[in-house]
PDB file of all heavy atoms in Angstrom:
ATOM      1  N   THR A  25       0.509 -15.030   5.492  1.00  0.00           N
ATOM      2  CA  THR A  25       0.319 -16.024   6.553  1.00  0.00           C
ATOM      3  C   THR A  25       1.527 -16.126   7.493  1.00  0.00           C
ATOM      4  O   THR A  25       1.577 -17.010   8.339  1.00  0.00           O
ATOM      5  CB  THR A  25       0.046 -17.411   5.937  1.00  0.00           C
ATOM      6  OG1 THR A  25       1.130 -17.736   5.066  1.00  0.00           O
ATOM      7  CG2 THR A  25      -1.257 -17.417   5.169  1.00  0.00           C
ATOM      8  N   GLU A  26       2.482 -15.202   7.321  1.00  0.00           N
ATOM      9  CA  GLU A  26       3.672 -15.252   8.185  1.00  0.00           C
ATOM     10  C   GLU A  26       3.276 -15.078   9.658  1.00  0.00           C
ATOM     11  O   GLU A  26       2.404 -14.268   9.987  1.00  0.00           O
ATOM     12  CB  GLU A  26       4.660 -14.147   7.795  1.00  0.00           C
ATOM     13  CG  GLU A  26       5.527 -14.479   6.591  1.00  0.00           C
ATOM     14  CD  GLU A  26       4.784 -14.441   5.269  1.00  0.00           C
ATOM     15  OE1 GLU A  26       3.613 -14.010   5.249  1.00  0.00           O
ATOM     16  OE2 GLU A  26       5.378 -14.867   4.267  1.00  0.00           O
ATOM     17  N   ASN A  27       3.986 -15.803  10.514  1.00  0.00           N
ATOM     18  CA  ASN A  27       3.668 -15.762  11.945  1.00  0.00           C
ATOM     19  C   ASN A  27       3.804 -14.368  12.537  1.00  0.00           C
ATOM     20  O   ASN A  27       3.041 -13.975  13.422  1.00  0.00           O
ATOM     21  CB  ASN A  27       4.577 -16.721  12.727  1.00  0.00           C
ATOM     22  CG  ASN A  27       4.192 -18.167  12.451  1.00  0.00           C
ATOM     23  OD1 ASN A  27       3.068 -18.441  12.026  1.00  0.00           O
ATOM     24  ND2 ASN A  27       5.120 -19.076  12.675  1.00  0.00           N
ATOM     25  N   PHE A  28       4.798 -13.601  12.022  1.00  0.00           N
ATOM     26  CA  PHE A  28       5.019 -12.297  12.656  1.00  0.00           C
ATOM     27  C   PHE A  28       3.856 -11.344  12.393  1.00  0.00           C
ATOM     28  O   PHE A  28       3.606 -10.436  13.191  1.00  0.00           O
ATOM     29  CB  PHE A  28       6.371 -11.686  12.237  1.00  0.00           C
ATOM     30  CG  PHE A  28       6.489 -11.366  10.769  1.00  0.00           C
ATOM     31  CD1 PHE A  28       5.998 -10.184  10.248  1.00  0.00           C
ATOM     32  CD2 PHE A  28       7.136 -12.252   9.919  1.00  0.00           C
ATOM     33  CE1 PHE A  28       6.134  -9.886   8.907  1.00  0.00           C
ATOM     34  CE2 PHE A  28       7.270 -11.966   8.574  1.00  0.00           C
ATOM     35  CZ  PHE A  28       6.757 -10.790   8.065  1.00  0.00           C
ATOM     36  N   ILE A  29       3.111 -11.575  11.321  1.00  0.00           N
ATOM     37  CA  ILE A  29       1.938 -10.727  11.058  1.00  0.00           C
ATOM     38  C   ILE A  29       0.889 -10.976  12.162  1.00  0.00           C
ATOM     39  O   ILE A  29       0.320 -10.038  12.722  1.00  0.00           O
ATOM     40  CB  ILE A  29       1.330 -11.028   9.684  1.00  0.00           C
ATOM     41  CG1 ILE A  29       2.351 -10.772   8.566  1.00  0.00           C
ATOM     42  CG2 ILE A  29       0.046 -10.216   9.473  1.00  0.00           C
ATOM     43  CD1 ILE A  29       2.589  -9.344   8.228  1.00  0.00           C
ATOM     44  N   GLN A  30       0.681 -12.244  12.471  1.00  0.00           N
ATOM     45  CA  GLN A  30      -0.283 -12.574  13.540  1.00  0.00           C
ATOM     46  C   GLN A  30       0.191 -12.021  14.886  1.00  0.00           C
ATOM     47  O   GLN A  30      -0.612 -11.527  15.685  1.00  0.00           O
ATOM     48  CB  GLN A  30      -0.472 -14.085  13.616  1.00  0.00           C
ATOM     49  CG  GLN A  30      -1.232 -14.638  12.414  1.00  0.00           C
ATOM     50  CD  GLN A  30      -1.072 -16.140  12.256  1.00  0.00           C
ATOM     51  OE1 GLN A  30      -0.767 -16.844  13.209  1.00  0.00           O
ATOM     52  NE2 GLN A  30      -1.262 -16.628  11.041  1.00  0.00           N
ATOM     53  N   ARG A  31       1.511 -12.097  15.088  1.00  0.00           N
ATOM     54  CA  ARG A  31       2.042 -11.573  16.365  1.00  0.00           C
ATOM     55  C   ARG A  31       1.824 -10.062  16.450  1.00  0.00           C
ATOM     56  O   ARG A  31       1.383  -9.538  17.479  1.00  0.00           O
ATOM     57  CB  ARG A  31       3.536 -11.917  16.489  1.00  0.00           C
ATOM     58  CG  ARG A  31       4.071 -11.681  17.901  1.00  0.00           C
ATOM     59  CD  ARG A  31       5.515 -12.073  18.053  1.00  0.00           C
ATOM     60  NE  ARG A  31       6.408 -11.165  17.344  1.00  0.00           N
ATOM     61  CZ  ARG A  31       7.164 -11.493  16.307  1.00  0.00           C
ATOM     62  NH1 ARG A  31       7.147 -12.715  15.826  1.00  0.00           N
ATOM     63  NH2 ARG A  31       7.956 -10.611  15.733  1.00  0.00           N
ATOM     64  N   TRP A  32       2.092  -9.369  15.362  1.00  0.00           N
ATOM     65  CA  TRP A  32       1.893  -7.917  15.364  1.00  0.00           C
ATOM     66  C   TRP A  32       0.420  -7.576  15.593  1.00  0.00           C
ATOM     67  O   TRP A  32       0.108  -6.600  16.261  1.00  0.00           O
ATOM     68  CB  TRP A  32       2.350  -7.322  14.027  1.00  0.00           C
ATOM     69  CG  TRP A  32       3.832  -7.294  13.838  1.00  0.00           C
ATOM     70  CD1 TRP A  32       4.784  -7.514  14.804  1.00  0.00           C
ATOM     71  CD2 TRP A  32       4.538  -7.032  12.624  1.00  0.00           C
ATOM     72  NE1 TRP A  32       6.039  -7.400  14.250  1.00  0.00           N
ATOM     73  CE2 TRP A  32       5.924  -7.114  12.920  1.00  0.00           C
ATOM     74  CE3 TRP A  32       4.155  -6.756  11.324  1.00  0.00           C
ATOM     75  CZ2 TRP A  32       6.904  -6.902  11.964  1.00  0.00           C
ATOM     76  CZ3 TRP A  32       5.126  -6.547  10.358  1.00  0.00           C
ATOM     77  CH2 TRP A  32       6.487  -6.623  10.677  1.00  0.00           C
ATOM     78  N   GLN A  33      -0.447  -8.415  15.039  1.00  0.00           N
ATOM     79  CA  GLN A  33      -1.883  -8.189  15.262  1.00  0.00           C
ATOM     80  C   GLN A  33      -2.224  -8.322  16.738  1.00  0.00           C
ATOM     81  O   GLN A  33      -2.933  -7.489  17.310  1.00  0.00           O
ATOM     82  CB  GLN A  33      -2.700  -9.202  14.457  1.00  0.00           C
ATOM     83  CG  GLN A  33      -3.224  -8.643  13.144  1.00  0.00           C
ATOM     84  CD  GLN A  33      -4.152  -9.609  12.463  1.00  0.00           C
ATOM     85  OE1 GLN A  33      -3.799 -10.758  12.228  1.00  0.00           O
ATOM     86  NE2 GLN A  33      -5.336  -9.145  12.126  1.00  0.00           N
ATOM     87  N   GLN A  34      -1.708  -9.392  17.346  1.00  0.00           N
ATOM     88  CA  GLN A  34      -1.982  -9.624  18.768  1.00  0.00           C
ATOM     89  C   GLN A  34      -1.411  -8.506  19.634  1.00  0.00           C
ATOM     90  O   GLN A  34      -1.984  -8.141  20.667  1.00  0.00           O
ATOM     91  CB  GLN A  34      -1.403 -10.983  19.199  1.00  0.00           C
ATOM     92  CG  GLN A  34      -2.196 -12.156  18.653  1.00  0.00           C
ATOM     93  CD  GLN A  34      -1.406 -13.463  18.661  1.00  0.00           C
ATOM     94  OE1 GLN A  34      -0.263 -13.508  19.123  1.00  0.00           O
ATOM     95  NE2 GLN A  34      -1.991 -14.518  18.134  1.00  0.00           N
ATOM     96  N   GLU A  35      -0.303  -7.957  19.192  1.00  0.00           N
ATOM     97  CA  GLU A  35       0.331  -6.852  19.935  1.00  0.00           C
ATOM     98  C   GLU A  35      -0.325  -5.503  19.640  1.00  0.00           C
ATOM     99  O   GLU A  35       0.114  -4.479  20.156  1.00  0.00           O
ATOM    100  CB  GLU A  35       1.823  -6.787  19.588  1.00  0.00           C
ATOM    101  CG  GLU A  35       2.603  -7.986  20.078  1.00  0.00           C
ATOM    102  CD  GLU A  35       4.027  -8.039  19.519  1.00  0.00           C
ATOM    103  OE1 GLU A  35       4.330  -7.304  18.541  1.00  0.00           O
ATOM    104  OE2 GLU A  35       4.834  -8.834  20.035  1.00  0.00           O
ATOM    105  N   GLN A  36      -1.326  -5.538  18.780  1.00  0.00           N
ATOM    106  CA  GLN A  36      -2.079  -4.341  18.390  1.00  0.00           C
ATOM    107  C   GLN A  36      -1.173  -3.263  17.806  1.00  0.00           C
ATOM    108  O   GLN A  36      -1.324  -2.073  18.071  1.00  0.00           O
ATOM    109  CB  GLN A  36      -2.862  -3.803  19.586  1.00  0.00           C
ATOM    110  CG  GLN A  36      -3.854  -4.833  20.113  1.00  0.00           C
ATOM    111  CD  GLN A  36      -4.764  -4.287  21.190  1.00  0.00           C
ATOM    112  OE1 GLN A  36      -4.443  -3.338  21.879  1.00  0.00           O
ATOM    113  NE2 GLN A  36      -5.919  -4.905  21.320  1.00  0.00           N
TER     114      GLN A  36
END
Side-chain angles (χ1 to χ4, degrees):
T25 56
E26 279 73 8
N27 288 339
F28 64 83
I29 300 284
Q30 290 163 23
R31 193 177 70 245
W32 288 348
Q33 261 187 306
Q34 287 161 3
E35 293 170 346
Q36 300 187 335

